[in-house]
Amino acid sequence: MLGIVIGVMAITSLGMTGVALEKQATANLGNLANEVSVSPGEDIETDGITDDQVETIRDIAPATTVIPQRSNATELTARNGAEANVQVTGVTNPAPLYDIATGDEPTRLQTGALITESTAEQLGLQLGDPVEYGGQIYRIRGLIAAESGFGASGGGELVLPESALNEQEHYNSVTVITEDGETSTATANAIEAEFSDADEEILTATSFASVQEDISSFTNTLELALLGIGSISLFVASVAILNVMLMSTIERRGEIGVLRAVGVRRGEVLRMILTEAAVLGGVGGLIGSAGSLVVGLALFHVLTGEAALALEWSSSRYLLYGMVFALVASVLSGVYPAWTAANESPVDALRG
Amino acid sequence: MSVIQLTDVTKRYDTEAELIEALKAVDFRAERGEMVVVTGPSGSGKSTMLNMIGLLDSPTAGTVHLDGRNVTDFSEDERTEERRSQLGFVFQDFHLLPMLTAAENVELPSMWDTDVDRRDRAVDLLRRVGLGDRLSHTPDELSGGQQQRVAIARSLINEPDILLADEPTGNLDQETGETVLDEITRLKNEENVAVVAITHDEQLVGYADHVVRLVDGVVQ
């Protein structure tokens, strides 16, 4: 019984670990992979990306979120005299671009400002405090979390409404948020094809496709490794279950002899042992799965911070697999001992 | 017509070391309602003979007839059916299943039958051996004599023609042995079964309708 429980827990927990690690990896890196960054090319005639070009991008990639941005740089000075160089970004819809640690996460930024957490700390700024840019005062509505993935600039950033940078007529860059990594590659290619050719480069579009490739090859390797470990534990668990079944029939050799002597048929002995194996496997599988669920919840809590993710089908299906495995392996492991026990001569079995 | 008839039965065991002849041309018969006690020193072939009658083993030569039918060359499955319907076994160390209650142990031989009244018959048999108030006790809650009476009830659940007893009093004290033997005698008459008991206990001989002595595989 213990062998079955441990076997099921080994397999199920490994499966769930795989899912949890994959979730964590994609959560950490994944939000970069679906971004396409569009910037002015060498042969552009204006000093930035025009409204018309933004509209064309929207037409090329209809199912995406297109976020044009103006940017600049400035030096912020705090009341206590501390100074910080920050990049200023004017954007109407900052929500998809930034992780907000505290405060608002606006999808339409009309007033107020967002500022990187570290910069705010450096300057002693808090939510509701004013910052000045271009002679205007903006109140801080939200603090941007330190970037967790790569690709972000190390310095601080001040995010303002688009109108704050109105003196710049054109956009400095456009970020296109797509559904996933594959779409982002396709979108980047489509934008390049529209605006550039071999001789002329009006706009360039970069997707984080290479990052995406790295992520998928990383998770593939991870899955393969876990699959390898998983199949070893599957094998070990099967041997453990076979051993359990063998032991239990050897222990009861005499009893089976009595059954046979008093006229219980071979088929009935066989059925009895297989039924017992199935019950053993079923109960063991249930206990093992319950244990794995606890392990899974803990794992998801630690790795992704959200224990409830363990209940999603992608990971909870391993509980089902574990249970089915326990049942099938137990019955299969029961076949040989049951067959031997049923066919032993009752005289030999009675003698012990 | 005898319910049990062994004719010229010989059993040889061919071990690597030697050839053992456990039974040598044994003739034996028993009638319904009769108790035959087979005695003899250990190694005389008593158990081998009981295994022949009980269809747990088959002879090297000779024939076994039960109720007039030649069962010598029955297949394992046919012999199982025969044991189930014609034969009851009582063993020296009772061989009750420890997890089951007295009533369940009695039902055991027919547990796989979809026979609705087997529980009634089990209860009835246990009452008749004086254990009507011990139905849901497990073997470890019963004394040796009570366990043996459960085993006797079990041997009669399928209404057999023949009751085979291997040292039925071997693990019991004198007094308990007597009650068990009284029980067997009473049921033998009530159910009209042939009882074959093997023993080296002289106590049993007093209950026998006739006694067969076996020495070195030969009936004396």
Side-chain angles (χ1 to χ4, degrees), chain A residues 4-17:
Chain A
I4 300 174
V5 172
I6 291 171
V8 170
M9 279 188 73
I11 301 162
T12 311
S13 302
L14 267 173
M16 290 178 91
T17 310

Side-chain angles (χ1 to χ4, degrees), chain A residues 287-304:
Chain A
I287 297 176
S289 295
S292 307
L293 183 63
V294 175
V295 172
L297 288 172
L299 231 126
F300 272 83
H301 182 71
V302 171
L303 288 181
T304 68

Side-chain angles (χ1 to χ4, degrees), chain A residues 198-222:
Chain A
D199 304 325
E200 201 180 37
E201 191 183 54
I202 295 174
L203 295 182
T204 62
T206 321
S207 83
F208 291 91
S210 62
V211 178
Q212 172 64 23
E213 272 165 30
D214 287 348
I215 294 169
S216 41
S217 97
F218 166 69
T219 47
N220 281 347
T221 316
L222 197 72

Side-chain angles (χ1 to χ4, degrees), chain B residues 92-155:
Chain B
Q92 177 174 2
D93 20 306
F94 327 132
H95 283 320
L96 301 178
L97 298 202
M99 280 105 64
L100 303 182
T101 65
E104 287 164 346
N105 264 295
V106 173
E107 283 178 58
L108 194 65
S110 58
M111 203 163 256
W112 283 265
D113 292 340
T114 46
D115 196 352
V116 278
D117 65 353
R118 61 156 197 262
R119 169 53 62 109
D120 296 342
R121 176 155 168 86
V123 171
D124 176 52
L125 280 165
L126 281 170
R127 285 217 181 94
R128 282 161 65 188
V129 297
L131 293 175
D133 55 345
R134 296 280 190 276
L135 298 178
S136 48
H137 286 54
T138 51
D140 58 0
E141 298 167 333
L142 298 171
S143 70
Q146 289 172 330
Q147 289 190 49
Q148 193 60 302
R149 282 185 279 159
V150 173
I152 292 165
R154 178 179 67 187
S155 71

